C-alpha cells in the first residue's frame, strides 16, 4: 500500500513538474513569435520579393499555441492533483489538438528556412535585379524592392558589394563592369539622391560606397524565426513525454 | 580631391639643351666628344623609379575588377624629364613591345588590342599633372580601363578603354619627347583581373531540406504514437480502471458486514 502511494506521489510530482515546464515554454514561444511578427518590417521587402507569406502564418499560430499551452498546463496541474478522470481526459484531448496545431506551425517554419538562406537570396537577387536608375525610378518591382531595402538599411547586395563582382548577373548583362562595378544604389547618396562622389563609389573608396551586406540587417528576425521551428520542436518532444505519462496516470486511477 | 590621370594635355615642344661652356680649354676637346656621344645618347632610355604597382594605400575595394585595375600615379618618378609626355604601355606579352613604337598609331591602338596587336599605349599626360611630392590626404590613383565611351571609336587609338579579358597584363610607364623615348620604368608584376562565376554555381544548402524532413517525420511519428496510446487507453481502460492493484486509493478496501448469530437471536428472545 505504502509503495503504491509513493508511486502515485512520484508520478503526480513528475506530471506537475512536466506541466510547469510546458507552461513556461508556452509563454516563451508566445514571446518569440510576437518578436518575429513585430520585427518583420525588416523582412517585409524581402518577403514581398520572395512572395512568401507563410512565414507569418507559422508565427501567428505559434502565438496562439503558446497561450493555449500555458492555459492547458494549469488545467493539467489541477487535474493531476485532484486525480479526476474527467478533467484529465479533457486535458489530454485538448493537448492533442494543440499538439497538432504546433506541429503544423513547426513544419511550416522549417519549410520556410530554405527560402531565407543567404545563398538563396543571393541567387534570386543576381537573377532578378536589373537596372536601377535613381533619377527616373525605372525598373521592375523586384528591383524597386531591393533598392528600397538597400536604401533603408544602408547596405549593398546580400553579403556585400563584391557579390556583383564575383558572380554574373542580370545587372552585369546590361551594365558594363567599368562604369558600374555595382549598382548606383550602393553608393552613399546626398540629399538629392545622387552619389556623393561617383568616382569614389566606383573605386570603392571607404566612405563613398556601402560596404556591408543586407543579410546582416535581416539576420535578427531570421534567427528568431529559426528559433520558432526548433524551439517548437523541443516543446513538442517534451509534451509528448508528459502526455504519455498523463495517459498512464489516467489509466491507473479510479473515479 | 584626387587626380585620376584622365586629363589630356598638349605636350610641350622645347628642345633639349646642352650645357657647354666653349670658353674653357677643357671643354674644347669635350665638345666634339659630346657631339659624338649625342646620337648614342639619343638612343639610350634611362630606367627610372619604382615600377608601376596596384594601389595598396588607401585600401580600395575595387583595386581590380573584371575589366579595370587601379595603379598608383607615377609621382616623383619622371622628375628629370619635365618636357616629356608620359605614356602607359599595357600589354599581354612583354616581349612584343619595343620602345620605338609610337603612340596613336594602329600598331599601338587600344581598339586593336588584343586580337591584332599585343600592346597599346594610353594616358598621354605631362609632368605638371603629377606634382611631386603628392599633397597629403589626396588619393592619387590611375584607373586603367575607365573610359567606356571611346572603346570602339577607331579615331581615338589612345583610349583608356576597359580591358577585354582577365589577363595577365604587364604595364610600364614610358616618357617620350620629340626625339623619342627618354625614360621608362621597369615592367610591373603580372596583373590578373577578376573573373565572375556564373550565378548558377551558388549552391543553396541542402542542410535545410534535411532538417525539414527530420522534423516532419519525427513529429508525425510522435503524433501517431500519442493517438494510438489514446485509443488504447480509451478502449481497454475506459470503463474499469486498469492496474488498480498499483494505484488504488487508500480507503477503497470494502468491509463486508458480518451478521452474527447474536443479532438474529435477540428478536426471537424478546418474543
Amino acid at each position: 500500500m505504502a509503495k503504491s502511494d509513493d508511486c502515485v506521489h512520484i508520478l503526480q510530482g513528475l506530471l506537475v513538474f512536466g506541466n510547469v515546464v510546458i507552461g513556461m515554454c508556452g509563454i516563451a514561444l508566445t514571446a518569440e513569435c510576437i518578436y518575429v511578427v513585430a520585427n518583420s518590417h525588416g523582412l517585409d521587402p524581402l518577403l514581398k520579393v520572395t512572395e512568401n507569406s507563410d512565414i507569418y502564418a507559422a508565427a501567428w499560430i505559434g502565438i496562439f499555441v503558446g497561450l493555449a499551452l500555458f492555459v492547458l498546463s494549469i488545467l493539467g496541474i489541477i487535474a493531476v492533483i485532484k486525480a479526476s478522470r474527467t478533467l484529465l481526459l479533457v486535458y489530454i484531448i485538448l493537448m492533442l489538438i494543440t499538439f497538432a496545431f504546433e506541429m503544423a506551425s513547426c513544419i511550416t517554419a522549417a519549410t520556410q528556412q530554405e527560402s531565407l538562406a543567404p545563398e538563396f537570396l543571393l541567387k534570386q537577387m543576381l537573377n532578378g535585379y536589373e537596372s536601377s536608375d535613381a533619377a527616373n525610378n525605372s525598373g521592375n518591382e523586384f528591383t524597386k524592392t531591393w533598392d528600397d531595402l538597400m536604401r533603408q538599411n544602408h547596405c549593398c547586395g546580400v553579403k556585400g558589394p563584391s557579390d556583383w563582382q564575383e558572380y554574373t548577373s542580370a545587372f552585369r548583362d546590361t551594365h558594363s563592369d567599368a562604369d558600374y562595378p555595382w549598382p548606383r544604389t550602393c553608393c552613399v547618396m546626398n540629399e538629392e539622391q545622387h552619389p556623393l562622389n561617383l568616382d569614389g563609389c566606383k573605386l570603392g573608396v571607404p566612405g563613398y560606397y556601402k560596404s556591408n551586406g543586407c543579410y546582416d540587417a535581416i539576420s535578427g528576425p531570421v534567427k528568431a524565426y529559426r528559433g520558432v521551428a526548433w524551439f517548437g520542436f523541443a516543446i513538442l518532444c517534451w509534451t509528448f513525454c508528459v502526455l504519455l505519462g498523463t495517459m498512464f496516470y489516467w489509466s491507473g486511477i479510479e473515479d | 580631391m584626387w587626380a585620376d590621370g584622365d586629363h589630356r594635355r598638349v605636350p610641350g615642344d622645347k628642345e633639349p639643351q646642352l650645357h657647354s661652356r666653349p670658353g674653357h680649354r677643357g671643354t674644347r676637346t669635350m665638345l666634339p666628344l659630346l657631339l659624338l656621344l649625342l646620337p648614342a645618347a639619343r638612343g639610350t632610355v634611362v630606367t627610372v623609379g619604382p615600377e608601376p604597382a596596384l594601389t595598396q594605400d588607401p585600401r580600395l575595394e575595387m583595386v581590380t575588377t573584371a575589366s579595370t585595375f587601379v595603379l598608383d600615379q607615377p609621382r616623383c618618378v619622371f622628375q628629370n624629364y619635365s618636357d616629356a609626355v608620359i605614356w602607359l604601355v599595357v600589354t599581354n606579352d612583354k616581349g612584343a613591345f619595343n620602345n620605338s613604337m609610337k603612340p596613336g598609331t594602329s600598331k599601338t591602338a587600344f581598339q586593336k588590342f588584343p586580337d591584332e596587336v599585343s600592346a597599346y599605349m594610353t594616358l598621354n599626360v605631362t609632368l605638371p599633372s603629377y606634382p611631386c611630392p603628392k599633397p597629403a590626404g589626396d588619393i592619387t590613383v590611375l584607373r586603367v580601363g575607365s573610359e567606356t565611351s571611346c572603346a570602339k571609336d577607331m579615331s581615338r587609338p589612345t583610349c583608356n578603354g576597359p580591358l577585354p579579358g582577365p589577363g595577365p597584363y604587364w604595364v610600364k610607364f614610358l616618357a617620350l619627347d620629340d626625339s623619342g623615348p627618354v625614360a621608362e620604368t621597369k615592367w610591373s608584376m603580372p596583373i590578373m583581373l577578376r573573373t565572375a562565376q556564373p550565378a548558377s554555381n551558388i549552391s543553396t544548402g541542402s542542410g535545410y531540406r534535411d532538417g525539414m524532413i527530420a522534423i516532419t517525420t519525427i513529429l508525425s511519428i510522435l503524433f501517431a504514437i500519442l493517438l494510438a496510446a489514446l485509443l488504447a487507453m480509451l478502449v481497454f481502460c475506459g470503463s474499469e480502471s486498469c492496474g488498480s492493484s498499483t494505484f488504488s486509493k487508500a480507503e477503497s478496501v470494502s468491509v463486508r458486514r458480518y451478521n452474527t448469530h447474536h443479532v438474529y437471536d435477540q428478536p426471537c428472545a424478546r418474543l
Side-chain angles (χ1 to χ4, degrees), chain A residues 138-178:
Chain A
S138 61
N140 55 17
E141 269 306 310
F142 186 84
T143 310
K144 281 208 195 91
T145 310
W146 263 103
D147 281 339
D148 287 336
L149 183 68
M150 292 201 276
R151 269 190 220 116
Q152 265 173 20
N153 295 320
H154 302 290
C155 57
C156 180
V158 171
K159 295 190 212 161
S162 38
D163 289 341
W164 303 103
Q165 284 291 314
E166 278 176 51
Y167 300 100
T168 59
S169 54
F171 178 75
R172 183 60 59 226
D173 289 339
T174 46
H175 294 76
S176 76
D177 172 75

Side-chain angles (χ1 to χ4, degrees), chain A residues 1 4 7-8 11 85 89 92 96 99-100 103 106-107 110-111 113-114 117-120 122-123 126-127 161-162 165-168 176-179 181-182 197 199-200 202-206 208-209 226 229-230 233 236-237 240 243-244 247-248 250-255, chain B residues 1-2 4 59-68 70 139 141 143 145-146 148 162 194-200 202-205 208-209 211-212 215-216 218-220 222-223 225-227 229-230 233-234 237-250 253:
Chain A
M1 213 59 126
S4 67
C7 282
V8 173
L11 190 56
R85 272 193 145 200
L89 194 58
I92 289 174
L96 277 177
F99 191 98
M103 209 170 89
C106 208
I107 293 176
T111 320
Q113 287 302 311
E114 195 178 353
E119 291 85 17
F120 184 82
L122 179 63
K123 213 167 183 175
L126 290 173
N127 286 334
S162 38
Q165 284 291 314
E166 278 176 51
Y167 300 100
T168 59
S176 76
D177 172 75
D179 279 334
W182 39 63
N197 189 304
D199 283 327
K202 284 198 231 175
L203 283 173
V205 181
Y208 294 97
Y209 76 111
R226 194 174 299 158
W230 288 103
F233 179 69
L236 284 180
C237 290
F240 171 77
L243 274 179
L244 273 185
M247 287 184 200
F248 180 64
W250 183 88
S251 62
I253 58 174
E254 283 184 359
D255 227 354
Chain B
M1 276 287 130
W2 59 77
D4 66 351
R59 288 221 61 87
L60 299 176
E61 175 96 22
M62 289 289 122
V63 166
T64 56
T65 69
S67 59
T68 67
V70 179
I139 302 180
V141 295
R143 190 160 184 244
S146 57
T148 45
R194 298 192 195 206
T195 29
Q197 303 175 42
S200 46
I202 307 171
S203 60
T204 51
Y208 296 103
R209 204 159 293 159
M212 179 201 74
I215 285 186
T216 313
I218 292 177
L219 286 181
S220 314
L222 291 184
F223 194 58
I225 293 176
L226 281 178
L227 284 180
L230 179 69
M233 185 182 89
L234 289 175
C237 308
S239 41
E240 75 271 359
S241 64
C242 319
S244 52
S245 53
T246 37
F247 287 158
S248 36
K249 287 193 184 145
V253 177

Side-chain angles (χ1 to χ4, degrees), chain B residues 16 18 33-46 81 177 179-183:
Chain B
L18 277 177
L33 199 59
L34 275 170
L35 287 170
L36 270 174
L37 285 174
L38 195 54
R42 276 197 171 212
T44 318
V45 179
V46 180
Y81 306 93
D177 65 6
S179 56
V182 288

Side-chain angles (χ1 to χ4, degrees), chain B residues 163-201:
Chain B
L163 295 155
Y169 298 103
W170 289 264
V171 295
K172 71 173 180 183
F173 289 108
L174 188 60
L176 297 177
D177 65 6
D178 284 345
S179 56
V182 288
E184 64 171 2
T185 61
K186 288 200 283 230
W187 287 106
S188 66
M189 302 295 288
I191 296 171
M192 293 290 306
L193 299 181
R194 298 192 195 206
T195 29
Q197 303 175 42
S200 46
N201 278 5

Side-chain angles (χ1 to χ4, degrees), chain A residues 133-136 151 188-196:
Chain A
D133 205 343
N136 49 4
R151 269 190 220 116
V188 174
M189 303 282 194
N190 58 15
E191 295 83 35
E192 290 101 44
Q193 293 304 316
H194 286 132
L196 205 52

Side-chain angles (χ1 to χ4, degrees), chain B:
Chain B
M1 276 287 130
W2 59 77
D4 66 351
D6 278 351
H7 308 285
R8 292 280 172 269
R9 300 284 169 93
V10 177
D13 50 1
K14 283 197 225 157
E15 295 291 331
Q17 306 216 336
L18 277 177
H19 298 284
S20 60
R21 282 186 251 169
H24 281 251
R25 256 182 292 162
T27 53
R28 253 190 233 148
T29 47
M30 287 285 282
L31 194 54
L33 199 59
L34 275 170
L35 287 170
L36 270 174
L37 285 174
L38 195 54
R42 276 197 171 212
T44 318
V45 179
V46 180
T47 307
V48 293
E51 67 257 20
L54 291 175
T55 303
Q56 304 281 350
D57 173 44
R59 288 221 61 87
L60 299 176
E61 175 96 22
M62 289 289 122
V63 166
T64 56
T65 69
S67 59
T68 67
F69 58 92
V70 179
L71 297 173
D72 281 324
Q73 286 177 357
R75 300 247 168 169
C76 310
V77 170
F78 293 104
Q79 290 316 104
N80 299 334
Y81 306 93
S82 46
D83 35 347
V85 178
I86 304 172
W87 292 88
L88 179 72
V89 182
V90 182
T91 181
N92 57 8
D93 178 5
K94 274 198 277 192
F97 181 80
N98 64 51
N99 289 340
S100 65
M101 290 184 175
K102 297 215 179 307
T105 63
S106 65
K107 288 233 183 67
T108 55
F110 166 78
Q111 288 79 10
K112 293 194 186 279
F113 178 82
D115 305 317
E116 293 166 34
V117 299
S118 301
Y120 69 95
M121 299 174 75
T122 182
L123 194 60
N124 193 4
V125 299
T126 52
L127 198 59
S129 308
Y130 297 146
C132 177
K134 77 170 180 112
D138 272 11
I139 302 180
T140 53
V141 295
L142 173 58
R143 190 160 184 244
V144 180
S146 57
E147 288 188 279
T148 45
S149 51
C150 56
K152 299 253 169 19
D153 185 1
M154 284 303 301
S155 64
R156 297 271 314 275
T158 56
C159 181
N160 182 12
L163 295 155
Y169 298 103
W170 289 264
V171 295
K172 71 173 180 183
F173 289 108
L174 188 60
L176 297 177
D177 65 6
D178 284 345
S179 56
V182 288
E184 64 171 2
T185 61
K186 288 200 283 230
W187 287 106
S188 66
M189 302 295 288
I191 296 171
M192 293 290 306
L193 299 181
R194 298 192 195 206
T195 29
Q197 303 175 42
S200 46
N201 278 5
I202 307 171
S203 60
T204 51
S206 64
Y208 296 103
R209 204 159 293 159
D210 294 339
M212 179 201 74
I213 291 178
I215 285 186
T216 313
T217 25
I218 292 177
L219 286 181
S220 314
I221 292 174
L222 291 184
F223 194 58
I225 293 176
L226 281 178
L227 284 180
L230 179 69
L231 261 169
M233 185 182 89
L234 289 175
V235 165
F236 292 122
C237 308
S239 41
E240 75 271 359
S241 64
C242 319
S244 52
S245 53
T246 37
F247 287 158
S248 36
K249 287 193 184 145
E251 280 81 55
S252 60
V253 177
S254 52
V255 180
R256 255 201 230 156
R257 284 214 328 187
Y258 287 95
N259 292 321
T260 58
H261 289 290
H262 302 321
V263 177
Y264 285 126
D265 280 345
Q266 287 238 276
C268 291
R270 273 199 203 145
L271 284 171

